[in-house]
Amino acid sequence: MTVTSLILLLLALGCLGFFLGRKRALASAQGDMRRLHSLPNYYGWHGAIMAFLPALLFVTLWSIAQPLLIERQLAGFFPAEQFENESDRILLMADVRRVAQGIDSAVVAGALSADDAIALNIADDDVRARLAEVGVALGAAVTAEVLQAAQSYRELSSTGGLFRSIFTILVALGGLAYAIKLTHADLRARNRVEAVVLGLLMLASTIAILTTIGIVVSMLSETIRFSTMYPFADFLFGLTWAPTFQGNSQLGLLPLLWGTFYISFVAMIVAVPTGLFTAIYLAEYASPRVRSVVKPLIEVIAGIPTVVFGLFALVTVGPFLREYIAEPTGLGTSGSSVMTAGIVIGILNVPFISSLADDIMNSVPQSLRDGSYGLGATKSETVRQVILPAALPGIVGAILLAASRAIGETMIVTMGAGASAKLDLNPFEAMTTITVKIVSQLTGDLEFNSAETLVAFALGITLFVITLGLNIFALWVVRRYREQYE
C-alpha cells in the first residue's frame, strides 16, 4: 500500500472516529446535552484526532527511517571505499533508486513481468533498453552491482511497505479504541482538541522558522567552503566573471551585481508609475462596475508563469526594441538586453504594486477624504495631498517588496537579457544577474568540490542578504510612519 493510499485510509478512520466519538458522548449523556462538558462535535474531533494523528506521525517517522535502513543493507553490494566517500555514496544510491523505480514502472506498464524483474540479468538483458520501452530513461550505463542493489532495494521496500501498512493500521485502530474508551460526559474534549490545534499552529510556525535557519546555515556552510578555495576578497571586488571549470577562474561578483541592479532599476521604472497610477485610478476614480472588471483582469498577470513572460520577452519585446530602437540608434544589435528583461519584469510587477497600493489607499479612512472635500479641495488635490501621504508608508513597502521580487527573477532574465556578465551602461546590451549564474553554475551532474560550483552558494547568500535588507527596510518604513495617520 502506498503512502497516499495509507493516508486516505487514515482519513477514513478519522471520519469513523469523529462519528463514534460524537455518538459515544451523546450516549453517555443519555440525550441530555447539559450533562456534557463540551459540545458533541468536540468529542467527535477528539476521536478523529486520536485515530489519525498518531498513525500519521508513525507513517512519517517510518518513511524517514526506512530509506536509511535500506541504504545500510545495500552497502554490501559495493566496495567499502565507495561508501566511505560521501559524494560517491550519494551518486550510487541515486542510481540504485532510479533503476529500482524504472523496474517498478516497467512492471506496472506490462513491459516486464514480476518474475522477469526479479530474474533481470545484466549479462543477457540491456536494462536501459528494456526500461526505455516504458519511457524510463537512464543517463548512465547500469552496472551489475547497481542492478543487484536495485532488485534488493525493491524487495526491501516492498517488505517495509507491507509492515508499514500493518503497523500504521494497528496504531490508528488502537488510537480510535483508546479515544472511545476515554469518551464520557465529563471528558474535557474541547480542552484536548484546542491543545492539539495550538500544538499544530506552533509546529507550523516552528517549521517556517527552522526552514529559514536551515537555508541560511546550508548556504553559509558552503560559502565558507568556497572561501577556502577562492579568495573571498577577489570574489567580492573582482571585475571579471569567467568560470572555466579547469582552474584559473575569475569569479568577480561586481559584474553580476551590476547586471542585477541595472535590470531591476529598469523594471522598477516601468512598474512603479504604471502600478501606482493604476491603483490611484481604481481606488479613487473608477466606478464600482469598472473596478470589478478591471482589477481582476490586471491581477490575472500575476498568475501567468514567468516562463511565459520569458517567451514574450524573447519573441516580441526583444525583437521590437532591436529593430525600432537599438539598431536605428546604433546602440546594439541583439534582442537580448537589459531593457528587454527590465520592461518585461516591470510588467510582471505591475499587478503586485497596483493591488497592494489599491488596498492600502482603500484603507485610508473616509473621514480624511470628507474633511478635504469640506475644505474645498478637488478630487485630484485630495489624492495628492491627503490620500497619497496617508498611504505612503504602505506604498513604499509595496515598492520595496516588488524590488526584491525583481532582483530574484530568473527565467525572464535568462530569456530576455542573455548571459553576458559585464560592466556596461548601454541598456541595449546583453547582461545577466546573480540568479541566472546560480542556475548555470549548478547545472549538470557536478560535485561540490570546486570553487566554480561552490560559488553558487556564495552568490546565493549575497542575494539573500540583499533581499533580506530590502524586506527589513520595507517593514521599518511601514512601522515607522504608520502611526502618523492612525
Side-chain angles (χ1 to χ4, degrees):
M1 185 180 293
T2 64
V3 174
T4 303
S5 302
L6 206 53
I7 292 176
L8 291 176
L9 178 60
L10 293 181
L11 288 173
L13 289 175
C15 294
L16 178 63
F18 181 89
F19 173 75
L20 294 179
R22 191 175 188 279
K23 184 177 179 181
R24 172 74 178 230
L26 291 173
S28 64
Q30 297 178 352
D32 186 1
M33 296 282 291
R34 291 172 297 180
R35 292 187 54 196
L36 292 176
H37 173 272
S38 308
L39 293 175
N41 281 349
Y42 280 108
Y43 294 92
W45 282 114
H46 178 258
I49 289 171
M50 292 296 292
F52 178 77
L53 204 56
L56 180 64
L57 180 61
F58 178 81
V59 170
T60 303
L61 295 177
W62 187 289
S63 299
I64 294 173
Q66 179 174 304
L68 300 177
L69 295 176
I70 291 178
E71 184 175 318
R72 294 182 61 183
Q73 294 294 321
L74 298 181
F77 289 96
F78 303 98
E81 58 270 14
Q82 286 185 299
F83 259 67
E84 292 174 358
N85 187 305
E86 183 69 14
S87 309
D88 292 341
R89 183 185 64 80
I90 292 174
L91 291 175
L92 278 175
M93 293 310 304
D95 288 340
V96 168
R97 285 191 293 269
R98 281 197 293 266
V99 174
Q101 291 168 2
I103 294 174
D104 288 336
S105 300
V107 172
V108 172
L112 285 174
S113 66
D115 294 335
D116 289 340
I118 296 173
L120 200 61
N121 194 311
I122 198 73
D124 53 16
D125 287 286
D126 186 353
V127 178
R128 295 174 68 191
R130 294 288 293 275
L131 297 183
E133 294 176 5
V134 292
V136 179
L138 300 177
V142 180
T143 64
E145 293 83 2
V146 169
L147 179 60
Q148 293 173 2
Q151 291 169 328
S152 179
Y153 182 93
R154 294 180 63 244
E155 295 175 4
L156 293 172
S157 296
S158 177
T159 303
L162 176 62
F163 282 106
R164 177 188 61 202
S165 301
I166 293 173
F167 287 125
T168 301
I169 293 173
L170 290 177
V171 170
L173 293 176
L176 176 59
Y178 183 67
I180 299 303
K181 181 180 178 181
L182 286 181
T183 301
H184 52 80
D186 296 329
L187 176 68
R188 298 178 179 271
R190 185 188 65 187
N191 296 359
R192 287 171 171 257
V193 171
E194 290 180 349
V196 171
V197 172
L198 177 61
L200 291 176
L201 295 175
M202 294 176 62
L203 177 63
S205 60
T206 303
I207 289 175
I209 295 171
L210 292 179
T211 300
T212 303
I213 295 174
I215 292 172
V216 174
V217 170
S218 63
M219 287 195 298
L220 275 178
S221 62
E222 299 299 334
T223 301
I224 293 172
R225 284 184 60 195
F226 166 74
S227 65
T228 62
M229 300 180 183
Y230 189 87
F232 207 69
D234 293 347
F235 166 74
L236 290 177
F237 304 108
L239 299 178
T240 304
W241 176 267
T244 62
F245 290 96
Q246 286 90 26
N248 299 322
S249 297
Q250 293 179 284
L251 304 174
L253 171 66
L254 291 182
L256 304 182
L257 205 58
W258 170 252
T260 300
F261 285 133
Y262 200 176
I263 292 173
S264 300
F265 175 72
V266 174
M268 298 311 293
I269 288 178
V270 174
V272 172
T274 308
L276 187 56
F277 291 163
T278 301
I280 292 173
Y281 171 72
L282 291 176
E284 301 299 326
Y285 291 95
S287 65
R289 183 175 181 181
V290 172
R291 175 185 170 85
S292 66
V293 174
V294 173
K295 187 172 182 179
L297 289 177
I298 294 174
E299 292 179 347
V300 165
I301 298 175
I304 299 175
T306 55
V307 67
V308 176
F309 280 100
L311 293 173
F312 176 63
L314 183 66
V315 303
T316 303
V317 179
F320 177 83
L321 294 177
R322 179 189 62 209
E323 294 175 9
Y324 293 99
I325 300 179
E327 289 183 349
T329 58
L331 293 175
T333 58
S334 174
S336 298
S337 65
V338 171
M339 193 64 69
T340 301
I343 290 174
V344 178
I345 294 175
I347 295 172
L348 174 67
N349 273 337
V350 164
F352 188 74
I353 295 177
S354 66
S355 181
L356 287 176
D358 176 41
D359 293 339
I360 291 164
M361 284 189 284
N362 279 322
S363 66
V364 174
Q366 183 63 33
S367 58
L368 293 180
R369 296 178 176 85
D370 295 338
S372 176
Y373 296 145
L375 292 173
T378 64
K379 180 177 278 292
S380 61
E381 290 172 339
T382 300
V383 171
R384 291 196 314 270
Q385 300 176 17
V386 177
I387 305 302
L388 288 181
L392 185 61
I395 292 173
V396 172
I399 292 172
L400 292 175
L401 291 175
S404 66
R405 183 180 181 184
I407 289 172
E409 180 55 46
T410 303
M411 186 59 66
I412 296 174
V413 177
T414 303
M415 293 181 158
S420 178
K422 58 185 178 183
L423 295 167
D424 199 325
L425 288 173
N426 186 356
F428 294 97
E429 287 291 334
M431 293 187 195
T432 191
T433 63
I434 292 175
T435 55
V436 173
K437 288 305 176 184
I438 290 175
V439 175
S440 64
Q441 296 306 115
L442 295 177
T443 301
D445 295 331
L446 302 174
E447 297 182 10
F448 297 150
N449 55 6
S450 65
E452 290 76 13
T453 302
L454 291 174
V455 70
F457 294 94
L459 294 173
I461 198 68
T462 303
L463 191 66
F464 178 82
V465 170
I466 293 172
T467 54
L468 180 64
L470 283 174
N471 291 338
I472 292 175
F473 183 65
L475 292 174
W476 178 82
V477 169
V478 173
R479 293 177 180 176
R480 172 67 177 81
Y481 296 101
R482 181 192 309 166
E483 293 183 358
Q484 292 186 17
Y485 310 107
E486 288 182 349

